Amino acid sequence: MTNKPVVTRFAPSPTGLLHSGSYRTALFAYIFARQNTGKFILRIEDTDKERSKKEYEDNIMDSLKWLGLDYDEFYRQSERTEIYKKYITKLVDAGYAYISKETPKEPGDREEVIRFKNPNKKVVFDDLIRGKIEFDTTELKDFIIAKSMDEPVFHLVNVVDDYEMGMTHIIRGEDHISNTPRQILIYEAIGAPIPQFAHIPLLLATDKSKLSKRHGALPVSGYREKGYLPDAILNYMALLGWHPTDDTEILSLKQIIEQFSLERVQKGGAVFDEEKLMWFNKQYVSKLSDTEFIDHAKSFIPEWLSRSDDTLQRLLPLLREKIVTFANITELFGSAGELRFVHSIQKYKPDQLLWKKAPDREVTKSHLVECRKMIRELAGKSPTIEMIKAAIWPYAEANGKGHVLWPLRMSLTGQEKSPDPFTCLYILGIDESLKRIDAAILSLNS
Ligand code: GLU
């Protein structure tokens, strides 16, 4: 091993949104570079003009930025045609490649392409994760490296760039193992040193099948929309295929960088489990300060609530307790959400106020009238949940908890499911609560 400074890269093709397998690869390459105070490069592999799209490139870059994976250099292969052309010319001139006459089979097929002259030999490389890998290149035949002098394809551009950019470690998904022998032949032909390869295991779905768009993980942007925290995603992703020497699970990126080693990356596929990701997110949400929490919650909080700072402050402990991801906030206030009542009460039938075990209108009304009196006493005192509970609880215990608390909660929320009546009273405030209880009492008269 020479002591060259470490250079790694993430080389996505912008043909889709940045997916979990890919950002896990990016993360490993990033960690390894940072751990070795090396360089991390982002290279957009957009030589496939039909499938590459600007919107996907934007998605990749936005996602990396959001995750906080900063890169030191950026390249776009579509802007490097001249460089590749130089190499193709050199390979052809030196007899490593040749212009091949083709018989077009389908419309659009070329009559001429540039093929690499396969030396048909055994290629051996030492993968940092998988160990020694041997491959007989004969079966690869003379493979295509460019469709024309100006249209190089994947294997060539990948190798030329890794060489030109001084890559020391190629950290990528194991689906690229089969490409490595071809690429090694090209390295040899252009006289470039062969970098170290580390092929990381694929991600699997919970049933151990291959992770796919339909079956498994979302792109980074999908998790962002769902209100996951980038740190939780990074932490979880780093543990897919790698784990520290002890069983610690909650690790900051800094700690991961300190402890990571490619040698400890497992060979077998790693199972991606959204439930587990949710668990990580919950841990990270609970570590946020109130200000940070509100900051992350902002884009998920309904408009009317963002205008009412008092209500938001009163809701904060409840929101902190209830959510797993920030998108849960939107659900909580949505049409089937537990906190829908905070904005406005839904119409309910007077009979819904009656406790199922004591469906008596007069008794129910008298309980509400009594509760009303106790709640009125609290007006102007900015009561806490505990104060509210202390005021009502003895009466509820004496008269039957369900008999008293069900109608009270129903009158406040109009919902079968909601937080307990003391919390609801606290969130709504005394004035609004009294209004709702009055309306309930009135409805029982009809
Ligand atoms: N552009 C390739 C891909 O997106 C990556 C190639 C590599 O990492 O060597 O799969």
Side-chain angles (χ1 to χ4, degrees), residues 66-290:
W66 182 71
L67 288 170
L69 301 182
D70 55 310
Y71 38 85
D72 305 296
E73 287 171 22
F74 173 78
Y75 300 95
R76 202 179 273 122
Q77 288 184 327
S78 55
E79 291 164 358
R80 296 168 59 79
T81 314
E82 286 311 310
I83 298 172
Y84 309 131
K85 196 169 172 176
K86 215 175 66 192
Y87 280 90
I88 301 169
T89 311
K90 248 165 71 182
L91 286 172
V92 172
D93 287 352
Y96 286 112
Y98 60 95
I99 296 167
S100 158
K101 300 279 174 216
E102 307 282 313
T103 326
K105 292 194 191 79
E106 283 174 41
D109 278 1
R110 307 296 171 111
E111 293 187 9
E112 224 178 67
V113 296
I114 296 142
R115 287 185 182 272
F116 187 83
K117 197 181 284 170
N118 191 335
N120 298 330
K121 59 181 236 181
K122 207 178 256 163
V123 163
V124 184
F125 65 98
D126 218 346
D127 191 278
L128 289 173
I129 294 166
R130 312 191 69 88
K132 194 165 151 191
I133 297 178
E134 271 188 50
F135 206 95
D136 185 350
T137 65
T138 311
E139 64 186 71
L140 302 174
K141 310 230 169 64
D142 288 356
F143 53 91
I144 298 176
I145 55 168
K147 290 190 223 159
S148 73
M149 292 309 270
D150 294 318
E151 294 167 292
V153 299
F154 172 63
H155 292 300
L156 182 97
V157 292
N158 192 264
V159 169
V160 166
D161 279 346
D162 282 336
Y163 172 48
E164 287 263 326
M165 295 169 193
M167 226 55 73
T168 57
H169 294 76
I170 310 290
I171 300 171
R172 60 183 176 187
E174 88 181 359
D175 46 331
H176 285 291
I177 291 184
S178 60
N179 294 326
T180 311
R182 282 187 196 83
Q183 295 176 347
I184 288 179
L185 293 179
I186 302 176
Y187 278 106
E188 289 174 347
I190 64 176
I194 315 258
Q196 296 269 342
F197 289 94
H199 286 96
I200 58 178
L202 292 184
L203 292 185
L204 303 174
T206 39
D207 63 0
K208 302 277 165 75
S209 66
K210 198 168 172 276
L211 204 63
S212 66
K213 284 182 197 161
R214 261 183 309 110
H215 190 76
L218 295 174
V220 176
S221 46
Y223 287 117
R224 184 180 182 173
E225 283 156 23
K226 274 193 162 188
Y228 279 86
L229 291 169
D231 291 351
I233 295 179
L234 289 177
N235 190 163
Y236 179 55
M237 284 289 164
L239 295 180
L240 292 181
W242 172 81
H243 62 92
T245 44
D246 60 21
D247 290 334
T248 317
E249 287 193 291
I250 300 296
L251 293 160
S252 67
L253 189 53
K254 190 166 165 278
Q255 290 168 315
I256 294 167
I257 291 170
E258 277 160 18
Q259 298 178 35
F260 185 81
S261 82
L262 276 177
E263 287 72 27
R264 290 186 57 77
V265 173
Q266 71 191 38
K267 290 194 192 65
V271 173
F272 176 90
D273 179 1
E274 183 149 356
E275 296 273 325
K276 189 76 198 203
L277 176 58
M278 285 162 76
W279 179 84
F280 273 92
N281 207 61
K282 182 87 192 165
Q283 307 299 310
Y284 276 85
V285 167
S286 65
K287 289 202 292 186
L288 297 175
S289 70
D290 282 353

Side-chain angles (χ1 to χ4, degrees), residues 337-383:
E338 251 184 84
L339 297 177
R340 180 184 178 150
F341 74 94
V342 183
H343 176 254
S344 55
I345 189 160
Q346 290 302 291
K347 244 185 125 49
Y348 58 90
K349 293 197 193 77
D351 278 353
Q352 283 177 268
L353 290 164
L354 310 182
W355 171 235
K356 57 182 184 302
K357 290 188 190 153
D360 185 292
R361 282 200 172 207
E362 283 313 309
V363 176
T364 303
K365 203 167 82 184
S366 70
H367 288 326
L368 282 177
V369 170
E370 284 310 309
C371 285
R372 191 191 189 287
K373 278 188 209 151
M374 296 179 276
I375 294 162
R376 239 202 79 82
E377 289 293 308
L378 296 167
K381 293 187 181 151
S382 312

